[in-house]
Every structure is written in C-alpha cells, then in structure tokens.
Amino acid sequence: MSSTWPFSGRGEQLARLRSSPAGVVVLGPAGAGKSRLVAEAVRGQRGVAWVRATTAAAELPLGAFAHLLPASPPSANLLKWASESIDAAVLVVDDAHALDPASAALVHFLAAQRRVRLLVTVRSGERPPDAIVALWKDDLLPSLSLEALSLEETAEVLAGALDGKVESGSLTRLWRTSQGNPLYLRELVLSGVLRDVGGLWLWHGPLLMSTTMRETIAARIGDLGPEERSALEHLALGEPLGADLLASLTSPAAVQGLEGRQLVTVQADERRLPVRLAHPLYGEVIRASCGTLRTRTILHTLADAVSSSGLRRRDDVLRVAVWRLDAGDRADPSLLLRACGHARAVRDLPLAERLARAAGDSGEAWLALASILFLLDRYTEAAEFFTRAWSAPLSPTHRMECAAMGTLNLVWGLGRHDTSMLDEAMGRTSDPGERQILRCFAASVRLHTGDLDAASAEIASALRSPEPLGTAARGSVLTTEARCGRPPARPPGRWSASPSSWPSWRRSRRPSPAWPASCSTTARWPPPCRGISTGPTGSPRCCPAGRSTSGRGTGSPCRRASAGPTCCGCADGCPTP
C-alpha cells in the first residue's frame, strides 16, 4: 500500500480551479476532498497564503487572519488595513463557513477589490456568514460543487493508494459504504477491511471503523436531543421506516429536524414516505453507541409496530422475523419459515439457515434447513435433516419436495445412487399430477446416473398420465429423449407449446423444474457422461452423451480408471479420443 494517499479522480475540477483568474468557491460536504483539491491546485505555486477557520478562532474578530496581520490594528478603516497587510498572490480560505463576521467581511472585501486570487472552501449543510454567501450569490466568484466520487473515480483512487487492483465486488461495496466520500473511503481502507490476495485486493471480514472515522462521523452528526437520538437509533436498527411510523415511535418534530439537518433522507415511494439515514456509516456509529438492552428494546418495539400494521409489504415478514430473533423474543415458527423462504429467494443463505434452525423441531423446519444446507454444499448435514423430515409428518407438497431434494442430495451431493426416497414418494401418492411430476424428476435423476433405460421408462410412465404436461415436465421429457438419442415424443393434445417451439426445447440443456419450488436451483446441466459400453476389444468405453453404440448403458459412472482411450471427454475428466 502506498505510504501517501494519492490525489486522483478530480481532474476536471482541478483544471477549473487552476484556470479561474479571480478564484473559486468550492462547496461540498465534509470529507468530500475540498481542502485536498485546493491544495493540489496551488501545489508548487509561490505566494500562497492559507487561512484555516475554526470555531475557536471565530470568537475573535479577524482571528483566522491573525498570522497574516500586523500586531497593532489602526483605529479606523480596519478592512482596508487588513487587505493591504496581506502580501500574497493567492489566498486560500479553508472552511469559510466557520469565519467570524469580521473575517468574512474581509474575504468579501478582497474578492470585490480583486487584489488577490481567492480559493474558498465552504461545507455544504452549514450556515456560513452572509458575506461568504454573497461571494457566489453576487457573482464575485464562481462556485464549484464537489460531488461524490463515481465508481470509476473510486477505482482510480484505490488503484493509486493500494498499488494494485480491487476486486469488483469489493470495489462496489467500498463505494456504496463510503458513498463516494474520499475521507470515508480512505478511513475504510486504513481500517484494514481489504486484504491482498495474489495481487488482488478483496474485502475481508466485518466493517471496522477507525477512531478517526468514528470521531469524524460523530462530529458530523453533532449534538442530538433525546427524541432526535431515539429517531436515529430506530433508523440505525430498522431502516427504512415509514415517516408516519417513525414519527409515532418518536416525534414528528424530531423527524423533521433530522431531515432539516440532512441526517436523514425522505423520498416518496408511491404512497409511502420511507425514511433512511443520509449515510450508511451514520448507522455504524449509532449502533455502536447503543447498549444491548437499549438495542433489544428498540427491536422489540419495531417488530410490534410493523406486525400491528399487518405485514403488508413483501419484506416485512423477513424484517420482523430478524428483529424478533435479535431482540431475544420467541417468534412464531410459521413466521420464521416464511421469512426463511424470503431469505432463500434473495440468496441470503446464511440468514435463511439461521431462521430455519430457529423455527424449531418440525418436519417443515427440518426440510427447509436441509434444503438450505444442500444449497450451501453441506451435503452430509443436509442428508441428516432430510432423513428427519422424511420421518416426520409432512403435507403432500412438502413430502414431494423432501423426496426430490433428498434424492438429489444423495445422488449429486454424496455420489450415492440411492433413489429409495423418491420411489417411496411415488408409491405413497395416488394423485396423477403428483406422480407425473415425480416421474419426470426421477427421469432426470436416472439420466444423470447413466441408467438410460430407466429414464426412458419413467418418461413413458409420465406420458401415460391423464394430466397435461407442465413446462418443466416437457423440458424433462425432451432432455431425456435427446440424451437417449431418440426423437422427442409428442402425444396428441398433451403439449401446449406449438411444434415450432420444439427446437428451443431440444436446444435447452437445463429444463426448468415443475417439481417443488425448492428444486429450482438443483438441476446442474449438462450432466456428466455416465453411459459405459463395451468396445471392440471388450474394454469399457464412454459413449457420447451417455449412449453406447447399442443404445444401452450399464449405469456405471464414467471414470478415468475404467474408461478406455475412446472416451468422449465427459465432465468426469476422461481422456478424449
């Protein structure tokens, strides 16, 4: 990592500062890089004087200019004396919003006289003296608003600071967390959230806030009244919250005051007014200052408030369930299972696992947990919970799901050609539609294991069902027939798709499932070659697409140890001819 933080990403703004003859007023939020930009603009120039305004110096007239003025001021015409005492070609006034009235008047006087080139920085969101506002309001100096760094500018800054490239996902996370604020970005990097892995920097571990960053953000938040702090705490633990809900939990005046101070944002979303913290790092600071008991109280309050509204929004179930768990409350198992489904749908599998484990000991909870463990590639653990779920009471739909997912976990995950759970499920149900779905799934499993005759038999049984074939069932039929080297069957009146759509189905190498929803990510196609035939010399031979020259497979997987030199080059890594 570079020892100094490089300047980059502000080329256009830098050129504008250097080319303005009278000077520029630079406006921007804290940490946007106003001072660094101005310093870069005057680097290497002669006759540059700096004035840095502070709250302490503002207590004294011309306090910020004390180092540039003589010891004894005159009794009259103070501004003229002060302006003539400044012997500099370029005057930089940093944080001009904190100037005392006399110093602000001097800056305005210098701008009107045009005796010195002025570069002035002003923090947005503050109330600078009227004389400073008049600089750009009365066109004495042009203004330049410093926006947040773009994703590309952030990448440029990090490349220079780290002497390397940041992985794209880590780069996006840094950019979103810092919201393009150079100061926050720098402190994030210095906190050690990035790790060099073979020349590529990746985000590693949880977000860590340095003392400097924490103090900077706390200073930006400023002093808070009890209700304002309560509102920020509720947002830090539960954002976004509706404006009406937040106001009812705290007070309308507090929410309005926070919006006025730009600590929260309110944006209309159809009929709602969601309130969010103005910066994600505000939440980190607020949460860190909340004690355990206070945090649990707020989470309990939020869960009760949103639950009482009827859980109308699609993410309310997941949010309330997590709040209940984090608050230490006993949550309804049905709520936890619904939330588990939501977490799984958005691919937050660690959260889905946590919710499933908290849902208790029931067949449905074990099934949900087993399915998530399968998606996490933890097949041995998944098998244990599939077995528990299979032995517990389940609804017909969940029984089908358990049979399908449990079989797939055994065959694909553990490499055991065990379809007993699937066979038992087909024996338990008398519903033609359910049997058809299970048979189509069984055909795909047997196709994967290389038992092509059994796969064809399952498809034939499915086609004899009086039920119309669903989308995924059609895909399974066509895939199986194509893998077996036979033309796709089309029983009259059974296919809703027109003949013109058949080629697209034949080209599809991954049928969309018609079986339970949890199987939606389980089909990993194309399956490896599993058909073994006997070559002219009697040696085992892997045949293309799992087919032997006689159209018959043995059901043994194709492996290097058993495949001859004429193997087709399947996914098992056999040599090609």
Side-chain angles (χ1 to χ4, degrees), residues 304-471:
D304 287 346
V306 175
S307 297
S308 64
S309 66
L311 304 177
R312 296 188 299 267
R313 296 180 65 82
R314 59 177 176 269
D315 58 344
D316 283 350
V317 170
L318 181 57
R319 298 170 72 199
V320 169
V322 173
W323 289 338
R324 294 288 189 202
L325 289 183
D326 290 344
D329 295 346
R330 294 193 54 163
D332 180 11
S334 63
L335 173 69
L336 294 174
L337 288 174
R338 289 170 59 196
C340 175
H342 284 286
R344 178 175 169 174
V346 298
R347 289 300 181 265
D348 190 346
L349 297 181
L351 176 59
E353 179 186 356
R354 179 190 177 200
L355 292 165
R357 290 187 183 277
D361 296 334
S362 68
E364 188 177 351
W366 288 330
L367 175 58
L369 178 57
S371 301
I372 293 162
L373 292 172
F374 170 79
L375 295 177
L376 288 169
D377 297 334
R378 291 155 59 183
Y379 305 118
T380 303
E381 291 179 77
E384 175 188 349
F385 285 98
F386 277 125
T387 302
R388 290 189 190 181
W390 186 254
S391 302
L394 291 172
S395 67
T397 300
H398 288 137
R399 180 73 58 186
M400 290 174 57
E401 179 181 341
C402 187
M405 292 290 290
T407 300
L408 200 63
N409 182 70
L410 292 173
V411 174
W412 180 267
L414 298 177
R416 292 160 49 187
H417 298 172
D418 183 353
T419 60
S420 58
M421 194 178 294
L422 195 60
D423 297 335
E424 183 179 345
M426 284 190 282
R428 282 193 179 194
T429 181
S430 59
D431 182 87
E434 293 179 1
R435 290 179 64 85
Q436 181 195 81
I437 292 173
L438 290 171
R439 286 198 179 280
C440 288
F441 185 84
S444 297
V445 172
R446 301 193 197 288
L447 181 67
H448 170 74
T449 60
D451 195 347
L452 306 185
D453 287 341
S456 295
E458 296 289 2
I459 290 298
S461 297
L463 292 175
R464 287 194 293 269
S465 171
E467 296 294 321
L469 289 171
T471 299

Side-chain angles (χ1 to χ4, degrees), residues 77 91 106 219 237 295 433 497:
N77 206 346
L91 180 64
L106 176 58
L237 294 167
T295 297

Side-chain angles (χ1 to χ4, degrees), residues 24-80:
V24 177
V25 178
V26 182
L27 304 168
K34 302 181 295 296
S35 302
R36 182 65 187 277
L37 176 64
V38 172
E40 191 69 19
V42 300
R43 185 165 59 89
Q45 296 184 19
R46 295 182 178 180
V48 178
W50 280 77
V51 171
R52 292 179 171 86
T54 63
T55 305
E59 299 294 328
L60 303 173
L62 298 178
F65 286 84
H67 63 292
L68 299 177
L69 302 177
S72 301
S75 58
N77 206 346
L78 188 64
L79 289 181
K80 183 178 180 180

